[in-house]
Amino acid sequence: MVDVVACAEPPEWDHCGHKADTTDPAACRGICVSDYTACLRHLPDADRATYLSNLSAGDRIDHRGTTFSTPLLSALLQALRAGDGRPTFGEVDFSYATFSESAIFDRANFTDAALFNCSIFSDEATFEHATFDTAWFEGAIFTSWTSFSGATFEGDVTFEGATFTHAWFPYVTFNWDADFAGSKITEELVLEGATFGNNSMHFGPLICVKSAVLRDAKFRAPMTMEIAASNVDLQRTRWDASATIHLRYASVELSNAVLSAPVALAAHPNRFSIPTYPHGTREINESDLTGDGRSVSVTSLRGVDATHLVFTDVDLSNCEFAGVFHLDQLRIEGNCSFANPPDGWTRRRVIIEEHYWRALNRWNTAPPWGWAPGPHHPDPHLTPGADDLAVTYRSLRKALEDVKNEPDAADFYYGEMEMRRNDPKRPWGERTLLALYWATSGYGLRVTRALAALGAAITATVVALMIWGIPAGDPPPVQSIRGPLPSGHQIDVSTYARRPGGRAPGPWQEKFSRQRAERAARTALNSVLFHSAGQGLTRPGTYIEMASRLVEPVLLVLAAFALRGRVKR
């Protein structure tokens, strides 16, 4: 990497030194033009005209350290125009040059190595539809509008350590390696429609204070990308080979991207670093970016086929999943977070579209209970319905189950059942059954709710047995057996009927006694755990016990399932 600080040092080449004095011994650092003792800027007019008239398209030129005004650069480009009207360079070296005014290299053809290392562009710089063989812009400083729109880089290009105010690269073609390591864009990087060609590439790491726009870009070879930016726009990008995208700070838009090979998008936990000569690394300064660098969010996957997509440690709390194909094959790894319901609702992971759906203005009031309204609120036709959300939750549940994350998948099962319960298109009987399932155990996922329902059922059984089920006294003996024992003692055994019968006590004070409460509790617990009460009951009591044997074991099983669902690995 070329150190930008070196731009201020005296040059190593034979330089012009125009107006040198004791305060600035080097003065003008422009390299002397061949056969002259001054740089191109400070040549006498006649000598400059002679030099330019001897140039032809494809010549090798060296103007390191030279300061160019717009007229001077235009004169140089005119001298190098080929028959097709394009300025054509052979090997060219503009390292440490300063372009004090607009630098227009549009349609220039660089047929050999083009060096702009540590050059300074004080005004706009455009290389639109230019063609490069290989190019170096290491440490270059672009202080104004910079455009490489439609440019083609046939060989390697490096912008390592370059600084841009606004970098505009729409529909650029990179046929080989494009190195932006350590670059910094203080405004916006636009690579819309760019083509990254046939060579595997490491793109970045680079800092983009605002947005990095790669919308409609095409990636034809394996790619490793490292970007720290506020926003990264990957809409309608096409990935024909595998890619790994490491991001920091960014909010990512992926809608309608086409993924023909595995693409992994991950939040990078540490600052990006670049190699330093001769060995070691240097962290990139991220001070212009705000927030937590480890927080990377995805806002939309609409229209994406998720078969080859992998997310690791990204925030999906505002991600729209509607319109995703093969969502069940999305791989969600690491610590990926989702949205939460408002306070007061059952704590679980939800998708943002459920917020939109629940916030619909159904009662001519403000959005209910703190659910976030969607971008098209309150139009129900532009908001996914309960049936769509049920499908989305089912797919996400399967995606987590496939990576053995069943405890977190349970939240999406809960969401799926919620959507089915609230879907007006489903039969009334199914919705009623789901409502009972929700109320008694939270769809078999809420341990405390299932235990509370079981406790309520047992309590109701005990009270009902005390009022109607337990007779006032023991039933009369059916048969008495008396006889001697071998020890000589007498035995007296009476058997009692267990068939329904007996009389329930009349006054309320007789119904609620300690003895009857104990008998009722024993009957209820035995019916839950052992299906055997061992108590003589009245006819209503028999039916109460039958209902208890049917309902309460089911609630106990649901509680066990809910507990298992939370601890299963």
Side-chain angles (χ1 to χ4, degrees), residues 151-154 171-177 193-203 214 216-225 236-243 258-263:
T152 300
F153 295 92
E154 299 291 353
Y171 302 99
V172 169
T173 299
F174 299 100
N175 284 321
W176 291 94
D177 195 25
T195 299
F196 295 83
N198 304 318
N199 187 44
S200 59
M201 186 179 300
H202 190 125
F203 184 82
L214 289 93
D216 295 306
K218 302 175 182 64
F219 302 91
R220 295 175 176 170
M223 165 72 71
T224 299
M225 183 179 294
R236 299 188 300 276
T237 49
R238 183 180 183 90
W239 307 82
D240 295 330
S242 60
V258 178
L259 283 60
S260 302
V263 174

Side-chain angles (χ1 to χ4, degrees), residues 249-266:
Y249 300 95
S251 174
V252 186
E253 170 67 65
L254 260 174
S255 59
N256 298 307
V258 178
L259 283 60
S260 302
V263 174
L265 192 153

Side-chain angles (χ1 to χ4, degrees), residues 135-407:
W136 282 265
F137 290 84
E138 294 184 17
I141 300 175
F142 300 88
T143 62
S144 186
W145 166 267
T146 305
S147 175
F148 285 81
S149 176
T152 300
F153 295 92
E154 299 291 353
D156 293 343
V157 57
T158 177
F159 292 92
E160 182 178 349
T163 302
F164 298 85
T165 298
H166 192 298
W168 184 257
F169 288 79
Y171 302 99
V172 169
T173 299
F174 299 100
N175 284 321
W176 291 94
D177 195 25
D179 184 1
F180 282 79
S183 296
K184 179 180 178 180
I185 298 92
T186 59
E187 291 290 332
E188 186 175 56
L189 169 66
V190 178
L191 283 158
E192 181 176 0
T195 299
F196 295 83
N198 304 318
N199 187 44
S200 59
M201 186 179 300
H202 190 125
F203 184 82
L206 62 86
I207 304 296
C208 188
V209 177
K210 292 187 176 179
S211 298
V213 180
L214 289 93
R215 187 170 48 241
D216 295 306
K218 302 175 182 64
F219 302 91
R220 295 175 176 170
M223 165 72 71
T224 299
M225 183 179 294
E226 295 179 326
I227 300 177
S230 299
N231 298 283
V232 176
D233 188 347
L234 298 175
Q235 294 183 75
R236 299 188 300 276
T237 49
R238 183 180 183 90
W239 307 82
D240 295 330
S242 60
T244 301
I245 307 170
H246 294 288
L247 301 176
R248 288 176 59 77
Y249 300 95
S251 174
V252 186
E253 170 67 65
L254 260 174
S255 59
N256 298 307
V258 178
L259 283 60
S260 302
V263 174
L265 192 153
H268 199 276
N270 303 311
R271 290 182 179 179
F272 294 128
S273 59
I274 57 176
T276 56
Y277 182 82
H279 52 75
T281 59
R282 175 177 64 85
E283 284 190 345
I284 297 178
N285 186 0
E286 300 177 352
S287 59
D288 290 328
L289 291 165
T290 59
D292 184 356
R294 297 167 297 179
S295 178
V296 174
S297 62
V298 178
T299 59
S300 178
L301 291 176
R302 188 180 300 274
V304 174
D305 186 335
T307 303
H308 300 294
L309 186 58
V310 181
F311 285 145
T312 304
D313 298 333
V314 299
D315 181 2
L316 300 173
S317 59
N318 288 297
C319 182
E320 296 182 358
F321 292 96
V324 180
F325 301 99
H326 302 121
L327 181 58
D328 60 316
Q329 298 183 42
L330 172 68
R331 291 186 65 88
I332 302 174
E333 300 179 348
N335 184 25
C336 290
S337 58
F338 288 83
N340 294 310
D343 293 340
W345 288 72
T346 300
R347 305 311 298 167
R348 59 185 173 93
R349 293 167 180 82
V350 302
I351 58 176
I352 193 62
E353 283 108 330
E354 182 176 347
H355 271 267
Y356 299 164
W357 176 78
R358 290 188 182 272
L360 286 176
N361 197 342
R362 297 189 181 94
W363 302 284
N364 296 320
T365 60
W369 309 300
W371 295 92
H376 305 294
H377 183 82
D379 189 346
H381 300 291
L382 298 177
T383 301
D387 52 345
D388 298 319
L389 296 181
V391 174
T392 300
Y393 273 124
R394 188 180 308 122
S395 298
L396 288 172
R397 171 174 61 86
K398 182 179 182 299
L400 287 182
E401 289 175 345
D402 287 346
V403 295
K404 307 303 180 183
N405 188 358
E406 295 191 13

Side-chain angles (χ1 to χ4, degrees), residues 480-494:
S480 296
I481 302 175
R482 296 180 180 178
L485 293 174
S487 62
H489 295 85
Q490 293 290 324
I491 184 173
D492 188 351
V493 178
S494 298

Side-chain angles (χ1 to χ4, degrees), residues 434-498:
L434 290 174
L436 291 173
Y437 193 19
W438 166 77
T440 55
S441 64
Y443 308 113
L445 296 174
R446 299 296 180 258
V447 180
T448 54
R449 192 180 302 182
L451 292 176
L454 176 61
I458 293 175
T459 301
T461 301
V462 169
V463 173
L465 288 173
M466 291 174 65
I467 298 174
W468 300 292
I470 298 176
D474 290 330
V478 176
Q479 184 179 7
S480 296
I481 302 175
R482 296 180 180 178
L485 293 174
S487 62
H489 295 85
Q490 293 290 324
I491 184 173
D492 188 351
V493 178
S494 298
T495 61
Y496 296 86
R498 294 200 66 253

